[in-house]
């Protein structure tokens, strides 16, 4: 039977509950404790696939092809957890399950209610995270205590303790202890109120994680403990840090691992956090520095590219380099030209994206990188724009993707109606009934790498698996013409049908991939392509110095 840690948040949103849950996971793993982490989201969308990245940040994709909350990205980056459909539930998904059962007649005439039917379904969802024999399961409840939406989840985790046993359940609450400059004091009142709210619904937190700008003195901890009915040593200061990867070290310094160990009667050795210490050191004291331009559409909201910016940071860690991000709005390139906006950078990256806005600007950025021999990394849409640019400028085609121009003469990127799905072993139809005009290829698919290419150089192996989230594909009709003109197809599906990676000869580093490598990068295991891209950017910079 696994032990459960429920993580709730209070006072205000945006305190970093996802990071707190992930860092707790990292700390436990460093003690040899096996963990998984689950997120319960109070919103009604069945999954975040339909949420605007402007509003909700990036959609994270799991191996099994689920579109999930970006917090699952934190879980995977901090731990060895491989998330799946069982790691993320929303109110919408829970209700959907209950309503489907009701329609099937499974409730035998019962009045279907929030308690017990919805709360039962939530508890069942929580139990579903135990896909293996984990020692500890961390469950993060989205939203803030006091929100109407999160009430059924809080009620479910309250009930859960009775069913799983007191000794197997721990409640951890993340709050804010603000520093009021005028008074020169840290204030504990918001935390007291938040805990009061939680206790009113029957949950007494065991551990308080207090976000703070400065260390909490023993006096402050005692005061919080007294008012919140917990031990002073269970008040943990979650102090602001320069990099999130420092959080496991901070939690260790505050004794969080000991508290959890004591509560669950686990007897484990001291955690080995040497890898995290090294990661933090490399972030804080880099030897090199490069600037990478990200040419995209959602440059206003950084969370829309969370995994991507983290993966670039990891590429920097692998090379002992600070990676400065230069955000460029693709539409601005259309208006002002690539030269004006990209002349100072050491590498250019066009990330994934949907819709035609800014496409011509992205294509201009690709051309600039190709002609000026600046390292280029194109991800998903970034690979597609690289193919379009090459087809137009090198092969003289009137080319585009049918996503942006349905009547285009040379559809070098198009909607492949049928494709062989290596995961299911079936032929898939990209049905036209979806609101975006075709179903997506989602999740992990195998890719075979051609030896002697940059891709092979980076990965060092022939067979890889990477995650996808797209509809359109490279059109094989143009394969011969494009390769004859110098495009290298360096990666493809095992049957050779789906182009997964393209490269250019006579260029320091130019690579496009149809998948999203950023979803699999971690600070302690930087992704090979990001490592190689940053390495190329450093080389380019050194050359021009
Ligand atoms: N819009 C493109 C497609 O659907 C690319 C998607 C992406 O970059 N994730 O194929």
């Amino acid at each position: 039977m696994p032990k459960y840690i429920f993580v709730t948040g209070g006072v205000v949103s945006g305190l970093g509950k996802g990071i707190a849950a992930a860092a707790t996971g990292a700390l436990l793993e460093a003690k040899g404790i096996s963990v998984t982490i689950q997120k319960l989201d109070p919103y009604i969308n069945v999954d975040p696939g339909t949420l605007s990245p402007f509003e909700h940040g990036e959609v994270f994709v799991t191996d099994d092809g689920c579109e999930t909350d970006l917090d699952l990205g934190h879980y995977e980056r901090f731990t060895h957890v491989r998330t799946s459909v069982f790691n993320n539930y929303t109110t919408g998904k829970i209700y959907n399950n209950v309503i489907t059962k009701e329609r099937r007649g499974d409730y035998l005439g019962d009045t279907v209610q929030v308690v017990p039917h919805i709360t039962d379904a939530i508890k069942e969802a929580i139990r579903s995270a135990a896909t293996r024999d984990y020692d500890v399961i961390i469950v993060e409840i989205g939203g803030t205590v006091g929100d109407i939406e999160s009430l059924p989840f809080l009620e479910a985790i309250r009930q859960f303790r009775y069913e799983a046993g007191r000794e197997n359940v721990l409640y951890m609450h993340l709050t804010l202890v603000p520093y009021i400059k005028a008074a020169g004091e840290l204030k504990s009142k918001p935390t007291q109120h938040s805990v009061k709210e939680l206790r009113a619904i029957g949950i007494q937190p065991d551990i308080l994680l207090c976000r703070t700008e400065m260390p909490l003195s023993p006096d402050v901890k005692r005061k919080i403990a007294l008012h919140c009915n917990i031990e002073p040593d269970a008040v943990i200061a979650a102090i602001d840090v320069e990099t999130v990867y420092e959080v496991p070290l901070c939690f260790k310094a505050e004794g969080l691992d000991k508290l959890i160990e004591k509560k669950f009667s686990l007897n484990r050795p001291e955690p080995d956090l040497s890898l995290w210490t090294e990661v933090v050191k490399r972030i804080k004291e880099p030897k090199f520095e490069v600037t990478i331009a990200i040419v995209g559409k959602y440059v206003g909201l950084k969370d829309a590219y969370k995994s991507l910016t983290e993966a670039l940071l990891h590429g920097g860690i692998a090379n002992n380099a600070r990676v400065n991000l230069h955000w460029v709005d693709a539409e601005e390139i259309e208006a002002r030209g690539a030269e004006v906006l990209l002349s100072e950078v050491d590498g250019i990256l066009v990330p994934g994206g949907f819709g035609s806005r800014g496409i011509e600007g992205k294509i201009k950025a690709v051309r600039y990188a190709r002609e000026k021999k600046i390292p280029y990394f194109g991800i998903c849409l970034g690979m597609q724009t690289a193919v379009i640019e090459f087809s137009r400028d090198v092969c003289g085609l009137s080319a585009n993707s049918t996503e942006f121009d349905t009547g285009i003469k040379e559809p070098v990127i198009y909607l492949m109606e049928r494709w062989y799905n290596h995961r299911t072993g079936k032929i898939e139809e990209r049905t036209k009934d979806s609101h975006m005009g075709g179903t997506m290829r989602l999740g992990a698919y195998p890719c075979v790498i051609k030896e002697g290419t940059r891709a092979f150089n980076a990965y060092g192996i022939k067979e890889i698996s990477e995650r996808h989230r797209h509809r359109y594909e490279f059109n094989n009709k143009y394969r011969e013409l494009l390769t004859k003109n110098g495009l290298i197809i360096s990666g493809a599906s095992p049957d050779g049908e789906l182009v997964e990676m393209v490269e250019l000869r006579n260029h320091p580093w130019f690579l496009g991939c149809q998948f999203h490598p950023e979803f699999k990068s971690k600070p302690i295991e930087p992704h090979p392509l990001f490592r190689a891209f940053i390495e190329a950017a450093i080389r380019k910079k050194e050359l021009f110095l």
Side-chain angles (χ1 to χ4, degrees), residues 22-42:
T24 304
L27 185 55
L28 296 179
E29 276 196 350
K31 285 172 89 77
I33 293 170
S34 65
V35 298
T36 190
I37 316 180
Q38 183 187 55
K39 172 98 193 259
L40 302 179
D41 272 311

Side-chain angles (χ1 to χ4, degrees), residues 335-360:
R336 297 171 59 201
E339 182 90 47
V340 182
L341 294 153
L342 300 173
S343 62
E344 304 276 294
V345 303
D346 309 307
I348 297 173
L349 190 150
V350 174
F354 294 84
S356 60
R357 223 178 75 209
I359 283 300
E360 293 304 320

Side-chain angles (χ1 to χ4, degrees), residues 352-354 380-381 384 403 469-472 516:
F354 294 84
C380 206
L381 182 62
Q384 299 176 353
E403 179 179 5
R469 183 174 186 251
H470 64 109
R471 296 184 175 84
Y472 294 82
H516 289 271

Side-chain angles (χ1 to χ4, degrees), residues 85-392:
V85 62
F86 303 112
N87 293 77
N88 192 197
Y89 288 85
T90 65
T91 293
K93 195 161 152 187
I94 300 278
Y95 270 77
N96 212 11
N97 293 347
V98 171
I99 292 170
T100 307
K101 275 192 185 169
E102 187 273 335
R103 292 290 84 189
R104 252 196 340 239
D106 289 6
Y107 295 111
L108 305 169
D110 268 5
T111 306
V112 182
Q113 293 175 302
V114 173
V115 182
H117 301 95
I118 294 296
T119 48
D120 279 352
I122 295 171
K123 286 183 285 179
E124 201 181 308
I126 293 169
R127 281 189 209 98
S128 77
T131 49
R132 272 187 21 219
D133 209 3
Y134 295 107
D135 295 323
V136 174
I137 296 179
I138 301 171
V139 182
E140 177 193 347
I141 316 294
T144 309
V145 170
D147 293 349
I148 292 175
E149 291 91 344
S150 49
L151 269 176
F153 289 108
L154 297 173
E155 168 59 15
I157 64 168
R158 183 194 69 78
Q159 295 173 13
F160 200 89
R161 184 181 228 176
Y162 289 93
E163 290 169 24
R166 299 186 75 81
E167 66 289 1
N168 296 320
V169 172
L170 185 158
Y171 298 112
M172 196 153 92
H173 188 56
L174 179 67
T175 73
L176 177 71
V177 179
Y179 179 72
I180 306 297
K181 261 205 206 109
E185 257 180 65
L186 284 164
K187 292 291 186 190
S188 66
K189 193 70 90 195
T191 298
Q192 293 177 37
H193 277 294
S194 174
V195 171
K196 198 166 137 193
E197 190 104 35
L198 206 50
R199 290 173 66 193
I201 44 184
I203 296 172
Q204 165 65 53
D206 300 286
I207 296 173
L208 286 179
L209 297 177
C210 303
R211 277 302 299 272
T212 165
E213 281 173 58
M214 47 190 67
L216 301 183
S217 68
D219 271 355
V220 174
K221 284 192 176 182
R222 255 196 307 276
K223 187 171 171 197
I224 295 173
L226 180 71
H227 285 280
C228 299
N229 196 30
I230 69 170
E231 300 286 327
D233 68 357
V235 180
I236 300 281
I239 196 156
D240 293 357
V241 279
E242 209 178 304
T243 154
V244 290
Y245 299 126
E246 214 172 334
V247 179
L249 302 173
C250 295
F251 282 178
K252 161 78 184 82
E254 286 281 306
L256 180 64
D257 57 320
K258 290 258 157 36
L259 278 175
I260 296 172
E261 198 173 37
K262 198 168 117 202
K263 165 79 195 172
F264 288 152
S265 312
L266 297 166
N267 231 331
R268 296 296 169 105
E270 277 290 291
D272 176 7
L273 289 165
S274 49
L275 282 174
W276 293 102
T277 312
E278 179 62 23
V279 162
V280 171
K281 189 177 147 243
R282 285 181 176 223
I283 293 175
K284 288 189 174 175
E285 300 157 21
K287 266 207 211 108
F288 306 101
E289 186 166 355
V290 287
T291 301
I292 303 294
I294 302 178
V295 182
K297 187 163 85 168
Y298 307 114
V299 293
L301 179 77
K302 307 295 181 280
D303 265 2
Y305 297 110
K306 191 68 197 159
S307 294
L308 179 75
T309 54
E310 290 303 307
L312 283 165
L313 176 79
H314 306 160
I317 293 171
N319 288 287
N320 244 314
R322 167 168 298 129
V323 178
N324 302 316
L325 304 180
H326 177 57
W327 295 92
V328 182
D329 183 341
E331 280 178 304
E332 221 177 305
I333 295 189
E334 284 170 16
R336 297 171 59 201
E339 182 90 47
V340 182
L341 294 153
L342 300 173
S343 62
E344 304 276 294
V345 303
D346 309 307
I348 297 173
L349 190 150
V350 174
F354 294 84
S356 60
R357 223 178 75 209
I359 283 300
E360 293 304 320
K362 291 177 189 179
I363 292 173
K364 275 189 179 164
V366 175
R367 179 161 309 155
Y368 187 78
R370 183 173 59 77
E371 290 180 345
K372 300 281 182 215
K373 303 221 181 295
I374 300 168
Y376 175 79
F377 194 4
I379 295 178
C380 206
L381 182 62
M383 178 192 108
Q384 299 176 353
T385 46
V387 170
I388 297 167
E389 195 281 326
F390 188 84
S391 308
R392 285 185 187 173

Side-chain angles (χ1 to χ4, degrees), residues 477-521:
K477 196 178 131 197
Y478 298 93
R479 207 157 167 160
E480 208 186 310
L481 178 68
L482 268 57
T483 48
K484 236 201 280 161
N485 279 284
L487 190 81
I488 302 165
I489 304 215
S490 55
S493 55
D495 63 0
E497 284 300 302
L498 304 166
V499 170
E500 292 282 7
M501 279 193 267
V502 301
E503 297 180 20
L504 286 185
R505 231 172 253 130
N506 305 325
H507 190 286
W509 205 89
F510 188 106
L511 189 147
C513 53
Q514 189 56 80
F515 49 78
H516 289 271
E518 68 271 27
F519 291 141
K520 284 180 73 174
S521 189

Side-chain angles (χ1 to χ4, degrees), residues 402-421:
T402 53
E403 179 179 5
F404 316 124
D405 186 348
T406 42
I408 190 71
K409 191 154 161 254
E410 316 286 3
V412 289
I413 304 291
Y414 78 137
L415 208 60
M416 193 182 263
E417 279 177 20
R418 259 174 228 94
W419 56 285
Y420 176 70
N421 184 337

